mmCIF file of all heavy atoms in Angstrom:
data_model
loop_
_atom_site.group_PDB
_atom_site.id
_atom_site.type_symbol
_atom_site.label_atom_id
_atom_site.label_comp_id
_atom_site.label_asym_id
_atom_site.label_seq_id
_atom_site.Cartn_x
_atom_site.Cartn_y
_atom_site.Cartn_z
ATOM 1 N N MET A 1 3.408 -31.288 186.536
ATOM 2 C CA MET A 1 2.413 -30.355 186.960
ATOM 3 C C MET A 1 1.054 -31.090 187.248
ATOM 4 O O MET A 1 0.780 -32.076 186.473
ATOM 5 C CB MET A 1 2.158 -29.368 185.815
ATOM 6 C CG MET A 1 1.098 -28.330 186.085
ATOM 7 S SD MET A 1 0.941 -27.145 184.884
ATOM 8 C CE MET A 1 2.497 -26.228 185.074
ATOM 9 N N GLU A 2 0.481 -30.825 188.338
ATOM 10 C CA GLU A 2 -0.761 -31.383 188.605
ATOM 11 C C GLU A 2 -1.795 -30.398 188.501
ATOM 12 O O GLU A 2 -1.710 -29.257 189.108
ATOM 13 C CB GLU A 2 -0.813 -32.048 189.995
ATOM 14 C CG GLU A 2 0.083 -33.190 190.068
ATOM 15 C CD GLU A 2 0.100 -33.781 191.582
ATOM 16 O OE1 GLU A 2 -0.770 -33.532 192.388
ATOM 17 O OE2 GLU A 2 1.035 -34.700 191.771
ATOM 18 N N LEU A 3 -2.942 -30.608 187.886
ATOM 19 C CA LEU A 3 -4.054 -29.612 187.802
ATOM 20 C C LEU A 3 -5.310 -30.223 188.206
ATOM 21 O O LEU A 3 -5.772 -31.298 187.700
ATOM 22 C CB LEU A 3 -4.225 -29.230 186.311
ATOM 23 C CG LEU A 3 -3.121 -28.585 185.530
ATOM 24 C CD1 LEU A 3 -3.410 -28.394 184.168
ATOM 25 C CD2 LEU A 3 -2.819 -27.184 186.177
ATOM 26 N N ILE A 14 -3.253 -25.596 190.971
ATOM 27 C CA ILE A 14 -1.956 -25.788 190.344
ATOM 28 C C ILE A 14 -0.841 -26.197 191.128
ATOM 29 O O ILE A 14 -0.441 -25.247 192.015
ATOM 30 C CB ILE A 14 -1.600 -24.727 189.216
ATOM 31 C CG1 ILE A 14 -2.796 -24.519 188.274
ATOM 32 C CG2 ILE A 14 -0.330 -25.077 188.537
ATOM 33 C CD1 ILE A 14 -2.521 -23.197 187.371
ATOM 34 N N THR A 15 -0.269 -27.383 191.066
ATOM 35 C CA THR A 15 0.950 -27.707 191.816
ATOM 36 C C THR A 15 1.947 -28.165 190.818
ATOM 37 O O THR A 15 1.655 -28.959 189.839
ATOM 38 C CB THR A 15 0.573 -28.860 192.856
ATOM 39 O OG1 THR A 15 -0.403 -28.499 193.541
ATOM 40 C CG2 THR A 15 1.831 -29.333 193.616
ATOM 41 N N ALA A 16 3.027 -27.389 190.876
ATOM 42 C CA ALA A 16 4.179 -27.676 189.829
ATOM 43 C C ALA A 16 5.545 -27.376 190.364
ATOM 44 O O ALA A 16 5.711 -26.683 191.448
ATOM 45 C CB ALA A 16 3.880 -26.684 188.630
ATOM 46 N N ARG A 19 10.452 -25.116 187.663
ATOM 47 C CA ARG A 19 10.732 -25.069 186.190
ATOM 48 C C ARG A 19 9.329 -25.181 185.422
ATOM 49 O O ARG A 19 9.191 -24.381 184.393
ATOM 50 C CB ARG A 19 11.594 -26.363 185.783
ATOM 51 C CG ARG A 19 11.908 -26.371 184.393
ATOM 52 C CD ARG A 19 13.099 -27.329 184.034
ATOM 53 N NE ARG A 19 13.546 -27.227 182.687
ATOM 54 C CZ ARG A 19 13.198 -28.036 181.687
ATOM 55 N NH1 ARG A 19 12.404 -29.015 181.818
ATOM 56 N NH2 ARG A 19 13.750 -27.758 180.487
ATOM 57 N N GLU A 20 8.557 -25.908 185.899
ATOM 58 C CA GLU A 20 7.112 -25.911 185.186
ATOM 59 C C GLU A 20 6.358 -24.584 185.376
ATOM 60 O O GLU A 20 5.818 -24.149 184.333
ATOM 61 C CB GLU A 20 6.290 -27.105 185.824
ATOM 62 C CG GLU A 20 6.805 -28.501 185.502
ATOM 63 C CD GLU A 20 6.086 -29.541 186.280
ATOM 64 O OE1 GLU A 20 5.672 -29.341 187.405
ATOM 65 O OE2 GLU A 20 6.004 -30.649 185.839
ATOM 66 N N LEU A 21 6.493 -23.980 186.418
ATOM 67 C CA LEU A 21 5.865 -22.713 186.711
ATOM 68 C C LEU A 21 6.513 -21.731 185.792
ATOM 69 O O LEU A 21 5.934 -20.812 185.243
ATOM 70 C CB LEU A 21 5.786 -22.203 188.120
ATOM 71 C CG LEU A 21 4.949 -23.030 189.023
ATOM 72 C CD1 LEU A 21 5.046 -22.408 190.447
ATOM 73 C CD2 LEU A 21 3.418 -22.870 188.585
ATOM 74 N N ALA A 22 7.878 -21.746 185.667
ATOM 75 C CA ALA A 22 8.577 -20.867 184.751
ATOM 76 C C ALA A 22 8.134 -21.037 183.359
ATOM 77 O O ALA A 22 7.980 -20.003 182.614
ATOM 78 C CB ALA A 22 10.062 -20.993 184.825
ATOM 79 N N CYS A 23 8.035 -22.288 182.941
ATOM 80 C CA CYS A 23 7.459 -22.598 181.587
ATOM 81 C C CYS A 23 6.117 -22.009 181.341
ATOM 82 O O CYS A 23 5.806 -21.449 180.338
ATOM 83 C CB CYS A 23 7.583 -24.055 181.179
ATOM 84 S SG CYS A 23 9.140 -24.739 181.072
ATOM 85 N N LEU A 24 5.230 -22.144 182.361
ATOM 86 C CA LEU A 24 3.843 -21.602 182.184
ATOM 87 C C LEU A 24 4.013 -20.053 182.227
ATOM 88 O O LEU A 24 3.272 -19.505 181.354
ATOM 89 C CB LEU A 24 3.110 -22.042 183.454
ATOM 90 C CG LEU A 24 1.581 -21.465 183.473
ATOM 91 C CD1 LEU A 24 0.864 -21.939 182.376
ATOM 92 C CD2 LEU A 24 0.982 -21.947 184.742
ATOM 93 N N ALA A 25 4.635 -19.423 182.982
ATOM 94 C CA ALA A 25 4.891 -17.990 182.891
ATOM 95 C C ALA A 25 5.281 -17.579 181.446
ATOM 96 O O ALA A 25 4.825 -16.636 180.916
ATOM 97 C CB ALA A 25 5.898 -17.449 183.979
ATOM 98 N N SER A 26 6.345 -18.277 180.883
ATOM 99 C CA SER A 26 6.847 -17.874 179.599
ATOM 100 C C SER A 26 5.691 -18.063 178.497
ATOM 101 O O SER A 26 5.506 -17.217 177.652
ATOM 102 C CB SER A 26 7.894 -18.760 179.208
ATOM 103 O OG SER A 26 9.080 -18.419 179.999
ATOM 104 N N ALA A 27 4.930 -19.208 178.678
ATOM 105 C CA ALA A 27 3.832 -19.407 177.655
ATOM 106 C C ALA A 27 2.765 -18.246 177.866
ATOM 107 O O ALA A 27 2.294 -17.768 176.808
ATOM 108 C CB ALA A 27 3.135 -20.744 177.888
ATOM 109 N N ILE A 28 2.462 -17.956 179.098
ATOM 110 C CA ILE A 28 1.466 -16.787 179.186
ATOM 111 C C ILE A 28 1.955 -15.592 178.500
ATOM 112 O O ILE A 28 1.196 -14.803 177.923
ATOM 113 C CB ILE A 28 1.178 -16.649 180.732
ATOM 114 C CG1 ILE A 28 0.343 -17.989 181.200
ATOM 115 C CG2 ILE A 28 0.318 -15.362 180.976
ATOM 116 C CD1 ILE A 28 0.213 -17.998 182.706
ATOM 117 N N THR A 32 1.217 -18.130 173.683
ATOM 118 C CA THR A 32 0.980 -19.454 172.977
ATOM 119 C C THR A 32 1.679 -20.560 173.680
ATOM 120 O O THR A 32 2.708 -20.340 174.405
ATOM 121 C CB THR A 32 1.532 -19.374 171.566
ATOM 122 O OG1 THR A 32 1.366 -20.606 170.903
ATOM 123 C CG2 THR A 32 3.053 -19.198 171.583
ATOM 124 N N GLY A 33 1.096 -21.742 173.654
ATOM 125 C CA GLY A 33 1.724 -22.904 174.275
ATOM 126 C C GLY A 33 0.752 -23.790 174.849
ATOM 127 O O GLY A 33 -0.340 -23.473 175.176
ATOM 128 N N PHE A 34 1.259 -25.097 175.118
ATOM 129 C CA PHE A 34 0.520 -26.118 175.804
ATOM 130 C C PHE A 34 1.342 -26.676 176.737
ATOM 131 O O PHE A 34 2.425 -27.220 176.471
ATOM 132 C CB PHE A 34 -0.193 -27.020 174.800
ATOM 133 C CG PHE A 34 -1.098 -28.098 175.571
ATOM 134 C CD1 PHE A 34 -2.312 -27.841 175.817
ATOM 135 C CD2 PHE A 34 -0.550 -29.331 175.939
ATOM 136 C CE1 PHE A 34 -3.153 -28.799 176.441
ATOM 137 C CE2 PHE A 34 -1.290 -30.187 176.636
ATOM 138 C CZ PHE A 34 -2.740 -29.944 176.834
ATOM 139 N N ILE A 35 0.953 -26.698 178.034
ATOM 140 C CA ILE A 35 1.696 -27.444 179.162
ATOM 141 C C ILE A 35 0.900 -28.703 179.584
ATOM 142 O O ILE A 35 -0.308 -28.430 179.944
ATOM 143 C CB ILE A 35 2.015 -26.530 180.234
ATOM 144 C CG1 ILE A 35 2.915 -25.411 179.796
ATOM 145 C CG2 ILE A 35 2.721 -27.338 181.398
ATOM 146 C CD1 ILE A 35 2.340 -24.213 179.644
ATOM 147 N N SER A 36 1.498 -29.814 179.536
ATOM 148 C CA SER A 36 0.676 -31.108 179.822
ATOM 149 C C SER A 36 0.797 -31.310 181.343
ATOM 150 O O SER A 36 1.817 -30.806 181.892
ATOM 151 C CB SER A 36 1.381 -32.274 179.074
ATOM 152 O OG SER A 36 1.161 -32.277 177.811
ATOM 153 N N ALA A 37 -0.315 -31.750 181.813
ATOM 154 C CA ALA A 37 -0.333 -32.058 183.304
ATOM 155 C C ALA A 37 0.120 -33.464 183.469
ATOM 156 O O ALA A 37 0.126 -34.320 182.485
ATOM 157 C CB ALA A 37 -1.741 -31.844 183.824
ATOM 158 N N ALA A 38 0.431 -33.916 184.737
ATOM 159 C CA ALA A 38 0.674 -35.286 185.040
ATOM 160 C C ALA A 38 -0.515 -36.154 184.676
ATOM 161 O O ALA A 38 -1.713 -35.778 184.713
ATOM 162 C CB ALA A 38 0.865 -35.418 186.612
ATOM 163 N N LEU A 48 -7.222 -32.391 185.381
ATOM 164 C CA LEU A 48 -7.193 -31.773 184.055
ATOM 165 C C LEU A 48 -5.927 -32.098 183.341
ATOM 166 O O LEU A 48 -4.971 -32.672 183.857
ATOM 167 C CB LEU A 48 -7.221 -30.210 184.255
ATOM 168 C CG LEU A 48 -8.256 -29.653 184.954
ATOM 169 C CD1 LEU A 48 -8.288 -28.014 184.994
ATOM 170 C CD2 LEU A 48 -9.598 -30.011 184.509
ATOM 171 N N THR A 49 -6.016 -32.236 181.913
ATOM 172 C CA THR A 49 -5.072 -32.719 181.200
ATOM 173 C C THR A 49 -3.893 -31.719 180.799
ATOM 174 O O THR A 49 -2.834 -32.101 180.481
ATOM 175 C CB THR A 49 -5.580 -33.216 179.868
ATOM 176 O OG1 THR A 49 -6.192 -32.283 179.102
ATOM 177 C CG2 THR A 49 -6.551 -34.374 180.059
ATOM 178 N N GLY A 50 -4.222 -30.413 180.873
ATOM 179 C CA GLY A 50 -3.045 -29.444 180.617
ATOM 180 C C GLY A 50 -3.588 -28.026 180.644
ATOM 181 O O GLY A 50 -4.761 -27.801 180.861
ATOM 182 N N ILE A 51 -2.698 -27.089 180.215
ATOM 183 C CA ILE A 51 -3.104 -25.713 180.185
ATOM 184 C C ILE A 51 -2.738 -25.274 178.791
ATOM 185 O O ILE A 51 -1.518 -25.416 178.266
ATOM 186 C CB ILE A 51 -2.244 -24.872 181.143
ATOM 187 C CG1 ILE A 51 -2.579 -25.266 182.561
ATOM 188 C CG2 ILE A 51 -2.590 -23.288 180.946
ATOM 189 C CD1 ILE A 51 -1.786 -24.638 183.624
ATOM 190 N N GLU A 52 -3.636 -24.682 178.097
ATOM 191 C CA GLU A 52 -3.361 -24.090 176.731
ATOM 192 C C GLU A 52 -3.489 -22.477 176.774
ATOM 193 O O GLU A 52 -4.384 -22.010 177.450
ATOM 194 C CB GLU A 52 -4.500 -24.484 175.754
ATOM 195 C CG GLU A 52 -4.299 -23.909 174.408
ATOM 196 C CD GLU A 52 -5.325 -24.521 173.385
ATOM 197 O OE1 GLU A 52 -6.318 -25.113 173.809
ATOM 198 O OE2 GLU A 52 -5.067 -24.342 172.144
ATOM 199 N N VAL A 53 -2.455 -21.899 176.333
ATOM 200 C CA VAL A 53 -2.470 -20.337 176.331
ATOM 201 C C VAL A 53 -2.668 -19.896 174.897
ATOM 202 O O VAL A 53 -2.019 -20.395 173.900
ATOM 203 C CB VAL A 53 -1.018 -19.996 176.892
ATOM 204 C CG1 VAL A 53 -0.934 -18.460 176.876
ATOM 205 C CG2 VAL A 53 -0.847 -20.466 178.231
ATOM 206 N N GLN A 70 -11.001 -31.321 178.959
ATOM 207 C CA GLN A 70 -10.476 -31.111 180.359
ATOM 208 C C GLN A 70 -9.094 -30.319 180.335
ATOM 209 O O GLN A 70 -8.228 -30.600 181.044
ATOM 210 C CB GLN A 70 -10.331 -32.412 181.017
ATOM 211 C CG GLN A 70 -11.583 -33.043 181.435
ATOM 212 C CD GLN A 70 -12.367 -32.323 182.427
ATOM 213 O OE1 GLN A 70 -11.994 -32.165 183.666
ATOM 214 N NE2 GLN A 70 -13.485 -31.472 182.011
ATOM 215 N N VAL A 71 -9.061 -29.168 179.576
ATOM 216 C CA VAL A 71 -7.905 -28.336 179.449
ATOM 217 C C VAL A 71 -8.200 -26.969 179.972
ATOM 218 O O VAL A 71 -9.329 -26.456 179.700
ATOM 219 C CB VAL A 71 -7.472 -28.256 177.968
ATOM 220 C CG1 VAL A 71 -6.480 -27.091 177.706
ATOM 221 C CG2 VAL A 71 -6.923 -29.504 177.526
ATOM 222 N N LEU A 72 -7.373 -26.455 180.797
ATOM 223 C CA LEU A 72 -7.501 -25.037 181.224
ATOM 224 C C LEU A 72 -7.011 -24.159 180.217
ATOM 225 O O LEU A 72 -5.854 -24.326 179.730
ATOM 226 C CB LEU A 72 -6.689 -24.877 182.567
ATOM 227 C CG LEU A 72 -6.982 -23.569 183.157
ATOM 228 C CD1 LEU A 72 -8.317 -23.439 183.906
ATOM 229 C CD2 LEU A 72 -5.930 -23.387 184.336
ATOM 230 N N ILE A 74 -6.109 -20.328 178.945
ATOM 231 C CA ILE A 74 -5.851 -18.929 179.483
ATOM 232 C C ILE A 74 -5.639 -18.212 178.143
ATOM 233 O O ILE A 74 -4.727 -18.401 177.392
ATOM 234 C CB ILE A 74 -4.492 -18.910 180.319
ATOM 235 C CG1 ILE A 74 -4.748 -19.704 181.516
ATOM 236 C CG2 ILE A 74 -4.195 -17.491 180.604
ATOM 237 C CD1 ILE A 74 -3.410 -19.954 182.394
ATOM 238 N N VAL A 88 2.948 -15.497 188.110
ATOM 239 C CA VAL A 88 3.368 -16.888 188.042
ATOM 240 C C VAL A 88 4.786 -16.999 188.088
ATOM 241 O O VAL A 88 5.356 -17.858 188.866
ATOM 242 C CB VAL A 88 2.759 -17.567 186.678
ATOM 243 C CG1 VAL A 88 3.218 -18.934 186.586
ATOM 244 C CG2 VAL A 88 1.238 -17.624 186.732
#
Side-chain angles (χ1 to χ4, degrees):
M1 177 177 293
E2 293 179 14
L3 301 170
I14 300 173
T15 302
R19 184 168 191 254
E20 289 168 331
L21 287 178
C23 288
L24 176 59
S26 292
I28 292 170
T32 186
F34 183 85
I35 293 107
S36 293
L48 304 181
T49 60
I51 301 173
E52 181 178 11
V53 180
Q70 289 296 286
V71 170
L72 187 70
I74 299 174
V88 173

